[in-house]
């Protein structure tokens, strides 16, 4: 079960956060495949802790030998045993902690894989509503908190808990009255833990949400810096960022004060317990019930509890912070998948890579569905979509693409073109209606290329092979040649082996889009969807990039969200969207001469320039 979370200003619908019960259940499911490793690690730690508990009785034995005035030779055996205990405990502790750490890293890797897999499957509109900052905060800050807890807090917590339990048992073996005296500290410690936990979980969850909102604001402000300056909105955006930063700082200071109060209460518990054990030892030694060495061992036992008890309680700080982060990660991994298979995955943020969309035949069911095509290349029947209550984008749109047909979607901004394109591509599920798409036979059936440009870090050949890992160098060159990109690719410093992407050779937007189109050629889909894929080229390279797109689409069915109406001229058919409805459909010449919405768009776009002819 998950609960939705929202930033303080309700500006975005953040991704959900799992409930504590669901988080614990998810953690058990993550650990279950490695139960053997967990049991072995805990067993070895129990043995190591039990061996370590021999130190206090041995020290007490030395005290008794000295107090009784026995020969110095009597000290040899306990001293040798102390050395042996130290060696055995060191070896077993190392083995146990190593196994626990391996368990933690394995579980963490499994969690990361599930998180990334689910995040890539999230509908585009869900990510847009949440904002990039929320997902970024989870995949960075929250993963880092959980990883830190796994690497340091988890082994230390396991070791501390075992030390506490076994030490209390050892106190009882010495004399049950020592145990009763030591337990006087427990009420204060339990109240301290309860006081802390009741405040920490909510506080740390709020802190993570505030950090996510802060990151989102910074991303929006920096990403839109040109627009912010152009509209003289610097002061408003600065104040908004400062407000979210103040909120994050306020929550951080509250957490610092909480930790300081936590430590102060723990010290009180230590003084109470140690005083009680020393007083009990005094009375028992005076009455002859125990020896001085036994009383010394009891005091040493309780003193040895300072470390593990404080560590266990102090680690609640890390545990609560990690639990808050884990709940946010589980909230994403638990997001319900669409009722029917998503026909493809959206690429990483900013990616313009072609997105393979394996098609599946879906059993008959109510609600939106996606089926394999039997005749037409693709058909959308009465498709509607809304990004939330009262925010409809598409209204009963029906569209059929015949095999091999190129259809251009045109319309004003906000008409619903990109939404329809994503639904046809399968990366977004419609609110209502049916989409029938081609069934792939060993090849991806649908590939989506968007206008956002992203070049993955690695060699140019590796970037191309994302679309087809088994492609040969000759096939890579053939794909580049098809989209008129082979000349500049071979002119790079190391040709296809040139490192591109972050930290590598910089590709301008037009070349990056040609790279995306080359991946489309390698993928070889039956249906290609281009969502303003030539928009980032700029006017100078627009026609060259449009020729690359035409070459990549040759011989396959295509749906093109036209950024420039020259693409509509070259299409077999033009479909005009207006306010989420199809208002016109037909060849360019016919619609241009009909004096309808398309003709108005054409006149506004062409202006005084010489209009190209089909």
């Amino acid at each position: 079960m998950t609960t939705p979370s929202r930033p303080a200003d309700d500006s975005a619908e953040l991704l959900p956060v799992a409930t504590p019960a669901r988080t614990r259940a998810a953690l058990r499911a993550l650990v279950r495949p490695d139960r053997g490793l967990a049991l072995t690690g805990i067993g070895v730690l129990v043995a190591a802790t039990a061996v370590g508990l021999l130190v206090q009785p041995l020290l007490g034995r030395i005290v008794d030998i000295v107090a009784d005035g026995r020969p110095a030779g009597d000290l040899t055996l306990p001293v040798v045993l102390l050395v042996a205990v130290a060696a055995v405990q060191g070896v077993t502790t190392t083995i146990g902690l190593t196994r626990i750490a391996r368990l933690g890293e394995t579980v963490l890797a499994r969690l990361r894989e599930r998180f990334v897999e689910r995040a890539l499957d999230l509908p585009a509109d869900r990510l847009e509503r949440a904002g990039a900052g929320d997902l970024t905060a989870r995949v960075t800050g929250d993963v880092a908190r959980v990883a830190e807890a796994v690497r340091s807090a988890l082994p230390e917590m396991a070791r501390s808990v075992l030390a506490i339990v076994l030490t209390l048992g050892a106190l009882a073996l010495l004399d049950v009255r020592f145990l009763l005296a030591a337990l006087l500290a427990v009420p204060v410690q339990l109240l301290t833990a309860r006081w802390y936990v009741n405040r920490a979980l909510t506080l740390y969850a709020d802190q993570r949400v505030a950090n996510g909102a802060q990151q989102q604001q910074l991303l929006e402000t920096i990403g839109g810096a040109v627009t912010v300056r152009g509209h003289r909105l610097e002061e408003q955006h600065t104040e908004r960022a400062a407000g979210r930063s103040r909120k994050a700082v306020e929550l951080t200071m509250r957490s610092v004060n909480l930790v300081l109060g936590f430590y102060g209460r723990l010290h009180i518990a230590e003084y109470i317990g140690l005083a009680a054990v020393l007083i009990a030892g005094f009375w028992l030694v005076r009455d002859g019930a125990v020896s001085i060495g036994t009383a010394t061992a009891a005091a040493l036992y309780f003193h040895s509890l300072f470390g593990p008890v404080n560590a266990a309680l102090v680690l609640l700080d890390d545990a609560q912070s990690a639990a808050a982060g884990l709940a946010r990660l589980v909230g994403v991994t638990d997001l319900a998948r669409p009722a029917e298979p998503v026909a493809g995955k959206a690429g990483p943020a900013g990616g313009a890579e072609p997105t393979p969309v394996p098609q599946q035949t879906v059993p008959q069911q109510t609600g939106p569905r996606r089926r394999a095509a039997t005749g037409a290349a693709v058909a959308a029947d009465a498709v509607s979509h809304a990004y939330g209550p009262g925010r409809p984008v598409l209204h009963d749109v029906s569209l059929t693409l015949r095999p091999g047909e190129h259809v251009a979607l045109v319309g004003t901004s906000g008409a619903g073109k990109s939404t329809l394109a994503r639904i046809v591509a399968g990366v977004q599920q419609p609110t209502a209606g049916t989409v029938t798409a081609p069934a792939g036979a060993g090849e991806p059936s649908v590939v989506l290329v968007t206008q956002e440009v992203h070049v993955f870090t690695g060699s140019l050949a590796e970037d191309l092979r994302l679309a087809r890992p088994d492609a040969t160098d000759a096939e890579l060159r053939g794909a580049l040649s098809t989209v008129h990109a082979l000349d500049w690719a071979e002119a790079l410093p190391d040709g296809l082996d040139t490192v591109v992407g972050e930290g590598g050779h910089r590709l301008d937007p037009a070349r990056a889009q040609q790279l995306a189109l080359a991946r489309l050629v390698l993928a070889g889909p039956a249906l290609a969807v281009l969502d303003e894929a030539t928009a980032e080229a700029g006017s100078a390279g627009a026609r060259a990039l449009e020729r690359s797109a035409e070459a990549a689409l040759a011989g396959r069915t295509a749906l093109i969200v036209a950024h420039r109406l020259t693409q509509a001229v070259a299409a077999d058919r033009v479909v005009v969207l207006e306010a989420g409805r199809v208002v016109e459909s037909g060849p360019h010449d016919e619609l241009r001469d009909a004096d309808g919405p398309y003709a108005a768009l054409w006149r506004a776009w062409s202006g005084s320039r010489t209009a190209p002819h089909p």
Side-chain angles (χ1 to χ4, degrees), residues 350-356 447-456 460 463-468 479-480 483 485 488 500 507-525 528-534 536 545 548-549 552-553 556:
E353 74 284 3
T355 307
V447 161
L448 169 68
V449 181
T450 66
Q451 66 176 335
E452 291 89 6
V453 177
H454 185 86
V455 178
F456 293 92
L460 184 64
D463 209 305
L464 287 166
R465 287 194 174 99
L466 289 171
R468 206 168 96 207
L480 289 169
V483 298
W488 65 255
V500 294
L507 299 181
D508 62 40
R511 289 183 174 182
Q513 286 288 18
Q514 283 182 315
L515 185 60
L517 292 171
R519 287 196 291 258
L520 184 152
V521 173
L522 286 168
V529 179
L530 270 58
D531 184 6
E532 297 190 354
T534 62
E536 297 295 327
L545 195 53
S548 296
L553 298 178
R556 67 182 94 253

Side-chain angles (χ1 to χ4, degrees), residues 136-158:
T136 301
R138 297 186 192 221
V139 81
T140 54
D142 292 322
V143 169
R145 289 291 180 93
V146 175
E148 182 180 355
V150 164
R151 289 169 184 147
S152 57
L154 176 63
E156 188 61 33
M157 177 69 85

